[in-house]
Amino acid sequence: MSSPNFESLGIASPVLKAVQQLGYEQPSPIQAQSIPILLEGENLLGVAQTGTGKTAAFALPLLSRVNSGQKKPQILVLTPTRELAIQVAEAFQTYARNMKGFHVLPIYGGTDMRGQLRGLERGAQVIVGTPGRILDHIRRRSLKLNELNALVLDEADEMLRMGFIDDVETILAETPDTCQRALFSATMPPTIRRVVKKYLGDAKEVSIAAKTKTVERITQRYLMVKGHQKMDALTRILEVEEFDGMLIFVRTKSATAEVAEKLEARGFSAAALNGDLSQTLRERTVNRLKKGQVDIVVATDVAARGLDVERISHVVNYDIPYDNEAYVHRIGRTGRAGREGQAILFVAPKEHRLLRSIEQSTRQKLAIMQLPTGEQVSGQRVQQFQDRILQDIETGKLDQFRPLLEKLAEENDISMTDIAAAMTWQLQLERPLFPKLVPLDTSNQGRSERRDRPDRNRPDRKDRSDRKNRPDRNERSDRPRQERSRKERPRNDDIEMVTYRMEVGKDHGVMPKDIVGAIANEAGIESQHIGRIRLEDDHSTVDLPEGMPKDIFNHLKNKVRVCQQPMRLSLPSSSLQKNHPASDKPKDKKSKDSQKPSQKRSPQKDTTKKQPE
Ligand code: AMP
């Protein structure tokens, strides 16, 4: 975990300032290793997946060498999907916020060329795009790469899986020989190795070593939860889970304060712990946790290093750690002094691979956690309410109130139960005994980052559900050019699939690659989660992970076209009993992987000090 700080890495000062403004405390392992190499102008092969901070690993050093006065493409980043292209472009914009005259342009298929042509004419130093559309522009000569300084291939294995590799090679061949090249990939299939050998030559390789350590006495669970629903999920867990002290890990200094404040506002006693606080303040916070003056501490990795507080019964990884070593360190903050500990990991759908990697390195399978249900939350609140009433009765301070209530009952001919019920109603107004909880999607399916990332510590990220600002979705997207054999696709045995029907078939000239491309781009479902496709004459069927959100289903049903034909996605009646948007059944009740919530930790103790009144 010993890692340099951002200041020592040598990135340009406007970029460093942006990193500081974002509250990044220290470089992630992939950043610490990649940034010096890329600053030196060397080629790089990064074996890393989403969530490790790889975007900043290439964006920060490459931006450091951009000439903002020169309005020609200097950096080109290729991504497999338009969603990733948008995200990477946004990340560049964020990191370049202090660079005057800087422009980044995302370029992807499925949208009108004219806007992109205008953008290219206006000039941008960084272009981020999907291979098909980038190639179109190169062929039209609207995009010239002769002054390109650096080319990045992001998620190269995904580009291979989506059939883009030929386009990628054609683009690589177009770039000047002097151009610096970096390739990032979560896995290293032979084709990618070949591309690296041919186009990146003597590239320096960086990968995050997975160290194996056993974590005993700590029960580890994970919850699939989208970024913007984490706070609601956490609140539910805190209501139902019996805990003593809790340490919650987030990625940024700003997030420690943000999460702690939100918890305080919800009635929990929480404090932030981060590297910005003075040593004295940090020590004070740790002491308050030790003494039980505060129950929850929200910390970054740096601030919680070596923390040893016996009463920490729970560690919650609110943001998944970058690497396995950090995970092992984090959860090691519980289970101290021979006690049992609980570790809970929040995993956004796209972070599935990081979860698998943690499981492999700790050689322990994490149990899937079911989010506490409304009934459980209710049960806990009712229990606390009863405990409180019984305690109040025991205090013996009620004598002067009894005659008051007896008089009220007699004069109005009402029962004591009615009076008690009315008082109960008043007491629980702020914190209802039978709350209506927001439905949370904890389904175990992989989707693109588009839906998972909005609040992943990118403070300036806009809500992507604002579809008005999105490109025209009626057009065909930047589809894979090459059909991919079904055998090549990894199986997803842990994901339950549902068969959908679409009204395009062989008669319309459709090929499986068209369907994969449309669904991957339009629904944000990663290609490896797209299952069997059957082509019939006038329609086709495709297997997709169960639990598709309603808005995506409706989008595919009403808006998306394949081979100029409306897709009209629907569920054959045989699939209707499955968990899917048309059935309107709550998802978490049906999840195949769900287990019964752990009853052994059922709420018993008096947790009133943690709870809002
Ligand atoms: P990526 O792997 O590039 O998709 O990044 C994952 C998330 O981590 C993004 O939300 C970034 O904003 C965030 N991030 C990247 N680097 C850091 C850092 N050094 N400290 C805190 N958060 C970071």
Side-chain angles (χ1 to χ4, degrees):
M1 285 278 295
S2 71
S3 177
N5 52 27
F6 277 110
E7 289 76 9
S8 68
L9 285 175
I11 49 183
S13 54
V15 184
L16 180 63
K17 193 169 158 204
V19 167
Q20 286 161 346
Q21 287 164 336
L22 286 170
Y24 291 2
E25 200 160 46
Q26 63 166 173
S28 70
I30 190 82
Q31 291 164 1
Q33 293 179 63
S34 307
I35 292 174
I37 298 173
L38 290 175
L39 279 174
E40 281 291 310
E42 301 203 53
N43 288 349
L44 178 88
L45 164 61
V47 186
Q49 45 207 277
T50 299
T52 52
K54 69 176 162 54
T55 314
F58 61 79
L60 303 180
L62 296 182
L63 273 176
S64 297
R65 297 170 55 214
V66 155
N67 175 358
S68 306
Q70 174 84 267
K71 295 256 175 307
K72 293 198 171 145
Q74 297 166 39
I75 300 172
L76 173 64
V77 182
L78 296 180
T79 66
T81 62
R82 63 171 160 193
E83 309 306 345
L84 187 60
I86 294 168
Q87 278 170 16
V88 171
E90 282 178 351
F92 266 96
Q93 194 64 60
T94 306
Y95 300 136
R97 52 160 67 156
N98 303 311
M99 290 169 62
K100 268 218 167 87
F102 173 83
H103 292 286
V104 53
L105 187 67
I107 285 190
Y108 39 79
T111 187
D112 195 0
M113 276 281 208
R114 279 168 298 185
Q116 295 174 358
L117 288 171
R118 277 197 300 274
L120 284 167
E121 257 166 44
R122 274 196 301 272
Q125 293 87 354
V126 177
I127 310 286
V128 186
T130 47
R133 185 53 73 92
I134 291 283
L135 199 53
D136 287 347
H137 281 285
I138 293 176
R139 289 190 174 134
R140 280 172 165 241
R141 310 216 135 263
S142 42
L143 175 63
K144 297 193 185 82
L145 302 183
N146 52 331
E147 309 229 1
L148 204 68
N149 294 328
L151 172 79
V152 179
L153 307 181
D154 198 6
E155 301 202 352
D157 51 354
E158 194 61 17
M159 289 203 259
L160 172 71
R161 261 197 292 275
M162 292 184 71
F164 281 135
I165 206 69
D166 288 349
D167 290 352
V168 169
E169 287 203 51
T170 312
I171 297 168
L172 271 164
E174 290 282 325
T175 56
D177 289 343
T178 51
C179 177
Q180 181 180 16
R181 288 162 184 168
L183 180 148
F184 288 86
S185 196
T187 56
M188 274 293 153
T191 314
I192 301 289
R193 285 257 168 231
R194 184 182 58 73
V195 170
V196 171
K197 203 164 163 221
K198 188 165 169 196
Y199 295 98
L200 276 79
D202 52 354
K204 293 241 165 85
E205 185 166 338
V206 158
S207 64
I208 303 164
K211 292 196 181 157
T212 306
K213 283 180 198 152
T214 48
V215 194
E216 287 156 8
R217 296 193 312 277
I218 301 171
T219 310
Q220 300 173 61
R221 290 171 288 165
Y222 76 94
L223 182 76
M224 290 303 268
V225 58
K226 293 180 189 169
H228 65 285
Q229 297 188 325
K230 282 183 185 175
M231 183 44 72
D232 286 323
L234 178 64
T235 315
R236 263 199 234 183
I237 292 169
L238 291 176
E239 287 232 24
V240 170
E241 192 88 8
E242 202 186 340
F243 66 94
D244 192 0
M246 181 179 284
L247 192 58
I248 297 177
F249 280 97
V250 293
R251 277 197 173 158
T252 59
K253 290 182 266 192
S254 41
T256 59
E258 201 181 298
V259 171
E261 269 165 30
K262 283 189 178 157
L263 289 176
E264 285 270 308
R266 285 164 155 82
F268 300 98
S269 89
L273 188 70
N274 64 51
D276 268 358
L277 301 174
S278 67
Q279 186 61 26
T280 329
L281 265 180
R282 281 205 241 174
E283 278 166 21
R284 196 177 300 160
T285 304
V286 173
N287 277 332
R288 286 175 64 214
L289 179 65
K290 275 188 186 152
K291 289 186 194 150
Q293 292 164 342
V294 67
D295 294 315
I296 305 170
V297 164
V298 189
T300 53
D301 288 295
V302 174
R305 200 169 283 159
L307 196 98
D308 191 1
V309 177
E310 270 182 40
R311 70 179 278 259
I312 297 178
S313 60
H314 283 67
V315 166
V316 173
N317 289 282
Y318 191 85
D319 293 328
I320 198 164
Y322 304 116
D323 63 354
N324 306 329
E325 220 186 320
Y327 176 78
V328 172
H329 177 270
R330 284 178 175 192
I331 70 166
R333 301 308 96 208
T334 179
R336 312 295 291 178
R339 296 186 181 195
E340 299 284 307
Q342 296 284 334
I344 297 171
L345 173 67
F346 284 2
V347 184
K350 179 82 184 188
E351 294 165 346
H352 216 258
R353 279 176 177 170
L354 285 174
L355 167 68
R356 296 283 162 257
S357 157
I358 286 170
E359 289 185 329
Q360 274 163 13
S361 90
T362 56
R363 301 223 176 103
Q364 247 169 306
K365 209 154 173 53
L366 272 66
I368 191 161
M369 177 179 191
Q370 199 187 39
L371 200 63
T373 59
E375 291 83 65
Q376 284 175 293
V377 172
S378 247
Q380 175 72 345
R381 290 187 182 183
V382 168
Q383 180 69 51
Q384 285 163 9
F385 167 75
Q386 288 171 352
D387 290 348
R388 210 180 126 187
I389 297 285
L390 294 174
Q391 269 174 22
D392 289 348
I393 291 174
E394 270 174 27
T395 59
K397 290 180 184 161
L398 308 178
D399 289 352
Q400 59 175 325
F401 302 106
R402 286 200 182 91
L404 189 97
L405 297 176
E406 277 158 9
K407 191 160 169 263
L408 179 69
E410 206 180 296
E411 283 178 6
N412 295 285
D413 195 20
I414 46 174
S415 71
M416 281 299 196
T417 316
D418 281 343
I419 296 177
M423 292 167 73
T424 305
W425 177 76
Q426 279 180 25
L427 262 183
Q428 56 92 66
L429 276 179
E430 270 193 28
R431 188 165 174 262
L433 288 178
F434 306 101
K436 286 201 172 56
L437 301 177
V438 241
L440 298 179
D441 181 3
T442 56
S443 56
N444 192 9
Q445 64 170 299
R447 276 182 230 128
S448 90
E449 306 92 306
R450 164 161 59 91
R451 285 165 198 286
D452 315 329
R453 286 192 171 182
D455 77 348
R456 282 175 56 196
N457 303 332
R458 291 193 179 165
D460 44 358
R461 181 175 296 291
K462 290 196 198 80
D463 184 358
R464 306 219 135 278
S465 62
D466 179 5
R467 288 177 178 270
K468 275 182 290 195
N469 297 332
R470 300 181 65 182
D472 180 5
R473 291 179 160 267
N474 287 341
E475 295 207 30
R476 269 175 66 175
S477 53
D478 193 356
R479 294 190 321 256
R481 304 258 151 149
Q482 187 184 303
E483 188 164 347
R484 163 158 72 90
S485 118
R486 309 300 301 161
K487 269 188 267 156
E488 262 180 64
R489 286 187 200 155
R491 295 271 305 118
N492 293 288
D493 294 333
D494 53 345
I495 297 176
E496 188 129 322
M497 305 295 267
V498 175
T499 303
Y500 289 84
R501 175 186 162 115
M502 57 187 71
E503 304 308 318
V504 268
K506 290 184 208 156
D507 290 351
H508 310 107
V510 77
M511 310 262 275
K513 66 174 187 178
D514 302 319
I515 293 173
V516 174
I519 292 175
N521 275 321
E522 297 289 344
I525 297 176
E526 278 183 273
S527 63
Q528 76 256 37
H529 296 303
I530 300 173
R532 195 175 46 169
I533 293 173
R534 278 217 183 113
L535 300 183
E536 307 292 343
D537 290 343
D538 60 348
H539 74 279
S540 316
T541 60
V542 56
D543 291 351
L544 297 174
E546 78 164 348
M548 184 189 299
K550 214 168 192 164
D551 62 333
I552 297 187
F553 176 78
N554 287 338
H555 180 63
L556 293 175
K557 183 174 158 205
N558 302 320
K559 297 267 169 67
V560 176
R561 299 169 83 88
V562 186
C563 293
Q564 315 301 338
Q565 240 359 75
M567 179 187 273
R568 293 211 188 96
L569 193 77
S570 64
L571 275 149
S573 48
S574 58
S575 303
L576 272 172
Q577 60 278 37
K578 290 258 187 192
N579 181 23
H580 58 70
S583 73
D584 268 344
K585 289 203 175 118
K587 196 178 307 288
D588 40 3
K589 290 217 174 100
K590 296 220 94 184
S591 166
K592 174 188 152 202
D593 292 332
S594 305
Q595 297 172 343
K596 278 227 163 290
S598 89
Q599 296 296 346
K600 65 178 190 298
R601 282 184 304 278
S602 62
Q604 285 303 331
K605 73 167 191 177
D606 171 22
T607 48
T608 43
K609 67 176 184 285
K610 298 187 186 77
Q611 309 293 351
E613 295 297 303

